[in-house]
Amino acid sequence: MVSKTDDIPASVPNCTAVDLAEDGETPESTESGRTALKKKPCPCEHSAAAVVMNGDAGHDGAEEAESKQDGSGDADPGDDANEQEVIVIQDTGFTVKIQAPGTEPFDLQVSPQEMVQEIHQVLMDREDTCHRTCFSLQLDGNVLDNFAELKSIEGLQEGSLLKVVEEPYTVREARIHVRHIRDLLKSLDPSDAYNGVDCNSLSFLSVFTDGDLGDSGKRKKKGSELEQIDCTPPEHILPGSKERPLVPLQPQNKDWKPLQCLKVLTMSSWNPPPGNRKMHGDLMYLYVVTVEERHVSITASTRGFYLNQSTTYTFNPKPANPSFLSHSLVELLSQISPAFKKNFTSLQKKRVQRHPFERIATPFQVYSWTAPQIDHAMDCVRAEDAYTSRLGYEEHIPGQTRDWNEELQTTRELPRKNLPERLLRERAIFKVHSDFAAAATRGAMAVIDGNVMAINPGEETRMQMFIWNNIFFSLGFDVRDHYKELGGDAAAHTAPTNDLNGVRAYGAVDVEGLYTLGTVVVDYRGYRVTAQSIIPGILEREQEQSVIYGSIDFGKTVVSHPKYLELLEKTSRPLKVQRHSVLNEKDTAVELCSSVECKGIIGNDGRHYILDLLRTFPPDLNFLPVEGEELSPESQKQGFPRQHRHRLACLRQELIEAFVEHRYLLFMKMAALQLMQQKANKENKTAALPESITAESVSDSKPTAVPEPSENVSEAATPAFDSPTSSESTLTPEDTAESEAALAHETPASESQETSAIDGSTVSTVTTNGTHEPRIAESQNGGCDSPLEGKEADETIPGLAQAKELAESLAADDGSGIDPKSREVVLNACKAVGSISNTSFDIRFNPDIFSPGVRFPDDSVEEIQKQKQLLKDAAAFLVSCQVPSLIKDCLDHTALPMDGATLTEALHQRGINVRYLGNVLEFVDKMPAKPQLEHVYRIGITELITRCAKHIFKTYLQGVELSALSAAVSHFLNCFLSSFPDAVAHLPADELVSRKKNKRRRNRVPGGGDNTAWASLTPSELWKNIGSEALNYYHFTLQCESADQAVEKYGLQKITLLREISVKTGIQILIKEYNFDSRHKPAFTEEDILNIFPVVKHVNPKASDAFHFFQSGQAKVQQGFLKEGCELINEALNLFNNVYGAMHVEICACLRLLARLNYIIGDHPEALSNQQKAVLMSERVLGIEHPNTIQEYMHLALYCFANGQLSTALKLLYRARYLMLLVCGEDHPEMALLDSNIGLVLHGVMEYDLSLRFLENALSINSKYHGPRSLKVALSAKSPCFCLSSHHLVARVYESKAEFRSALQHEKEGYTIYKNQVGEAHEKTKESSEYLKYLTQQAVALQRTMNEIYKNGSNASIMPLKFTAPSMASVLEQLNIINGIIFIPLSQKDLENLKAEVQRRQQLQDSGKAEEQQEDGQLALDDKLPVDD
């Protein structure tokens, strides 16, 4: 696909991208991905580009399954075939000449896969041809078919001349033309972005870079001369400033002062043309007022546009004299209005100069929570759209609405045998999905705004259902007591999101022949609306007749169908759903392969649909108290089970994946231990040896364990391997849990943990991520111990490789060739871990366990018991492993949430539901290391408070009528955030009532009646409700009864609370400074509430091939094959572009990685260009203050500095700091990195005092979060660099200021840490020691000089002191180090050693022993690789 503009070849998917690739590059750093690449609109907030992140972004099931085969990253032969395949389709592009009327011929680079239509798009975007829409392209006089691929056109070759030929207009073409001209006139106007329409969104990067970075580098080479740089940041950005202004969030962009080309362009009221004029070729009439105040009436005819003689009140369609007949409206207007001609030309120049990424539409709408006051201008197209159900150009044909269901299902049926077919299919699926999401959102808003007629208008409003544009809409209320037993309205509100998660899961498995409905869940104005595509024929028959699989009454009557069982069987392994039988009303067993609520309906189109997937995943027993059932001790210890609002609480798919992964390890470990024992028995040794081995390995691996459980385990473990019976009796779940602890160190980089993150320093991060240590540590309330000690444990189990082999061979054939003893080993291990098969590891869940009303046949009692136990284990695994593992990741900064969304994502990605937030906060609160987790605690409390407020706001809004909406929202925000004690609802006098009556009406809400309930809310009542909501929903006690107390007690920021609540509820407020703390007047008035937007959740289709290329590229980079990695990632970028178009959050991740690789190779300009795209894309797709965007700004600043653009680098860093203050405040570990960056750049431009303020702030934050003496055991951790760099950097700056005493003090601190942690011999220690000597000499010299002055007064002979002005190179080197990029010069010999080392590790990994290797191999690698941690 050609990108819509011709000036960015990089995003032209089919251009061969290899020219970008050079060799030598390293992995992406932890911090670059730390804030989890978040795919904005995705409901569960996962992203498929997860691997870019450092374990901060889950991705959905299908990729997980696929990336396992791919996990080693070493491309297997299948992979190579894939690469070959791609290279084949990337035919080289060629150039054609294009000749448009009235312009010189110009060259255009095209690719054979493009359609002719895409050349049309390019021409409609080019400055000199943008005003043409109705034309054909001709080659040698033959008209080209718009939908033909270029390679299929005869005679089209390098250098062919294509002529642009004007075609006659039709009504549709004339409308498209007017629309296009209107778009061109509005192209610099940001109002669409503020209003959240047409997939426009904001971007402010160009304000800070003064246009395009690439050019400014050449233009402003002089800029690097220091005197010209103004470095003073605004007051509110300086460390320690308490001010948090809102206005700088949206700086003024000078380009947005729009040049007025016309005063009015609108459809004339004389439309449509009467019959006799139609027969003269009149298509429609326009009315225009020029800037010169000339009022004209224009006819659009088949031949073009001309002036007619009509006026406002008289109709005279005859051409005026002169009529100025022109094929394009622009040509006509240019002739009658000089101002139009001048302004339109300069407007187009500006438009084309903007970076394409600032103007391409995003795939899903992004809404801004702040906006300035925008003037509401006349706009014919907007007015027309408001009253037609348009969803794109294709609907100018009246009566044509899209058959969404047909489109969604046909794209799924497209062939997918080879790469080109898959790309086409994925592209079609993605396009239809984004169109459907936009249509559904628009429809849902129309439903709530009262623009759509219900299909059951007689019933009460909450029971009504709607159909609009072939989409079915229902409200999230419990209609007809359907959910009565499951929690009524609360369950009805949750069911749609659970259903959406089910649709996403089945969609990701993508089984041929099984269809799900297009589903979008929209929250708008306090209501939840579910939008679904319509199964053909479902409206014509009763539900009872159409359901042929599943149950329509929660299991009272159940039916099944062989075809559905066959289709669902294919999904059962990836989704871990167990095939099981339930009893129907006649007490006969019915076989199902899903939960009972899942219904199968065959549509009139013959397709097998499944719907109501709300129980795809098993129930979460921690929030589902069942009489007579005891949870495991780990859950009980933390106060579970707890009563929840509804009975639909399910475990997340990520948790199921992690749990199964974890059980698999346990399974392997057990089999290995038994094999060892058999071997020992064979050699006639006594049984004592294996016992000691078992005991030793188990206790070793949990250094922090209290002795008692470890003894218990060693006793239980040995007999467990003798006979199946004992394994059942002795291996109780607790013991299993304890032996799980033994596995902490064997955890592979499971996708659920997402540790495959590029982290060059550690090749398998998980070992340091030992999932289970925190659980043991918990018993002493301690932090987690170093995983190093677990290593010996691994070495005592040489049977692991053997066990793996055995399990594989058993799974491969039916085990016939294996001796019974080995089979028994597997049988025991299977029983112990709860596998459903006795010959191989296979864990699946029965989603119907504990469903009210579901009964199971008597013969499956044992099976059901096992399943219940499995569910209890999974619930225990969540609280005892996943929560501690999250906290541990936060402690060592592998997870670094910055705001509510990134925190939610970190939880989700480890399979923890947000309802556990209170639990997580309590866990943090009890940690001795709490000060180092303060940022997480603060973000968690903010999230908890704003979520509780959101719940209350939802019901509060439902009672407000439309005319009082802005008053009600501002009143709610006043009660929530303002310090004004008696926030009275600011009830405006009704605008429609005459002044005289006003006095009496002062205190009545417009509309009067019972709708005034919202006005009685008071701040104390709201905060009381928030407190009780926190207790009931999150089981967390908030110790604050007002906003001010919350700020005081938890260190929150009101501006952050405002951002979080606005984003969560869709409120848009006026951008101005709000005085929250005034006790005399409320902070908000109704004028400050500009809009309410919908909050939309939908499925995010993935580009699987592109994603695999991306993963393989990362793996190559990790292994040090930088050139190959770069090529693969460029390839991935092409494929992503092919599927998603130019704008997408995964493309953003791709660009960021490419930029980093370019930078490491040394191609700084290319790095700058890619990173600029990444920043623009992040702003457009995720939002201007999203944590990811802040990260991107920081990277861009580094590359700007490397390119000598110092002032730009500073501006970008200041912007990043401002955004970070707004989003999470100053007290955050990431702020230390940012401040070190700012301090270094300022040091580089010799602004020493300023530099010190930032560096000292960085030092204090680092000391707080990493401990004052921190140098982590493995050198890979970033923290040591931080604290040490901080000391060292501060010392350097003091030296530059000639304050040697302070410099010495800081460098000594640094030296001491180095010496204690890495020893005297380490080069860093030596370096530090040298620097200390140098400082001491300087200090002595200075003292001598001072003494000389005191002694001899003014005629003293003063020795000149040697000051080193910082060189740019040294500053850049320091910048690289703190940003995790370390360049190490490599000799040829080093390179060979490195290659050998990489191969050795590869073999080790293959044999499954990579974990033992990790620490020592780690240090070896650290010295040789351009490390990027």
Side-chain angles (χ1 to χ4, degrees), residues 768-780:
T768 47
N769 184 3
T771 333
H772 312 286
E773 290 144 5
R775 163 209 281 158
I776 303 143
E778 207 187 331
S779 52
Q780 307 171 328

Side-chain angles (χ1 to χ4, degrees), residues 1276-1290:
S1276 63
K1278 274 179 39 202
S1279 42
C1281 299
F1282 275 179
C1283 270
L1284 288 164
S1285 304
S1286 300
H1287 277 300
H1288 179 65
L1289 299 177
V1290 174

Side-chain angles (χ1 to χ4, degrees), residues 984-1030:
V984 182
H986 181 70
L987 299 182
D990 192 330
E991 294 171 6
L992 303 175
V993 180
S994 72
R995 286 272 161 256
K996 284 180 192 156
K997 293 186 190 158
N998 237 354
K999 292 192 181 69
R1000 270 181 313 189
R1001 290 183 59 94
R1002 177 71 28 96
N1003 284 330
R1004 289 200 30 221
V1005 186
D1010 53 356
N1011 284 342
T1012 54
W1014 61 267
S1016 58
L1017 185 72
T1018 63
S1020 57
E1021 185 194 343
L1022 174 61
W1023 277 89
K1024 201 155 91 218
N1025 292 347
I1026 288 177
S1028 63
E1029 179 73 11

Side-chain angles (χ1 to χ4, degrees), residues 478 483-495 620 622-625 641-650 915 944 947-955 1024-1036:
D478 186 11
Y483 292 105
K484 192 175 179 185
E485 292 178 8
L486 296 168
D489 279 349
H493 188 265
T494 306
D620 179 355
N622 288 332
F623 284 93
L624 189 72
R642 294 175 173 169
Q643 198 61 49
H644 199 50
R645 279 241 157 134
H646 53 77
R647 302 179 65 84
L648 290 179
C650 293
R915 58 176 171 269
L944 189 127
R947 276 179 183 263
C948 292
K950 178 184 77 170
H951 296 169
I952 296 161
F953 183 68
K954 185 184 74 199
T955 34
K1024 201 155 91 218
N1025 292 347
I1026 288 177
S1028 63
E1029 179 73 11
L1031 196 58
N1032 298 338
Y1033 196 90
Y1034 295 107
H1035 303 273
F1036 185 82

